[in-house]
């Protein structure tokens, strides 16, 4: 159902893919937008090793949510910061692409739990996190991406 990488020598392991999803703070979520046009947007995310899902938060209205209500199939792309090797101008980095189906969750207890975990990727300030959730939690939905296919590769700019 999903294509294999054409450059197998560049493929990275599933464990490397998961490590990138855990470590990186943001990626691009793509949904099937209006009139058949893809709609991609940068999103903060939290990968949960407990249930092997990627979580996002969003408001209760908008283009992304309308698109997800029409089609739950999505892709999500993340890449690391990369590195430059000695005496080389090119950036070497790893990227991960996930395909799956998105579930919309409106359960306040799960929203608080996951958005707290997501917030810890950005700050350890518990008071700030609690304040944000208290202020905006009721206006927030949780998106849970169930992974159907994941692949990653090493890329060298050229």
């Amino acid at each position: 159902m999903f294509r294999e990488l054409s450059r197998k020598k560049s493929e990275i392991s599933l464990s490397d893919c998961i490590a990138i999803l855990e470590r990186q703070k943001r990626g691009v979520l793509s949904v099937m937008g209006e009139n058949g046009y893809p709609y991609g947007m940068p999103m903060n995310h939290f990968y949960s090793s407990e249930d092997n899902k990627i979580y996002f938060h969003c408001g209760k209205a908008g283009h992304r949510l309308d698109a997800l209500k029409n089609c739950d199939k999505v892709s999500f792309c993340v890449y690391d910061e990369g590195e430059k090797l000695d005496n080389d101008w090119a950036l070497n980095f790893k990227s991960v692409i996930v395909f799956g189906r998105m579930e919309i969750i409106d359960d306040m207890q799960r929203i608080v739990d996951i958005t707290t975990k997501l917030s810890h990727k950005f700050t350890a300030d518990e008071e700030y996190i609690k304040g944000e959730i208290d202020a905006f939690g009721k206006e927030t939905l949780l998106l849970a991406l169930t992974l159907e296919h994941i692949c990653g590769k090493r890329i060298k700019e050229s």
Side-chain angles (χ1 to χ4, degrees), residues 121-153:
K121 289 178 85 170
F122 296 92
T123 182
D125 186 339
E126 297 295 335
E127 188 175 316
Y128 173 79
I129 293 170
K130 184 181 180 331
E132 289 292 299
I133 291 171
D134 288 348
F136 302 108
K138 290 184 174 71
E139 302 167 23
T140 302
L141 292 175
L142 193 61
L143 304 175
L145 173 53
T146 299
L147 286 61
E148 292 184 344
H149 181 73
I150 182 170
C151 62
K153 64 182 178 179

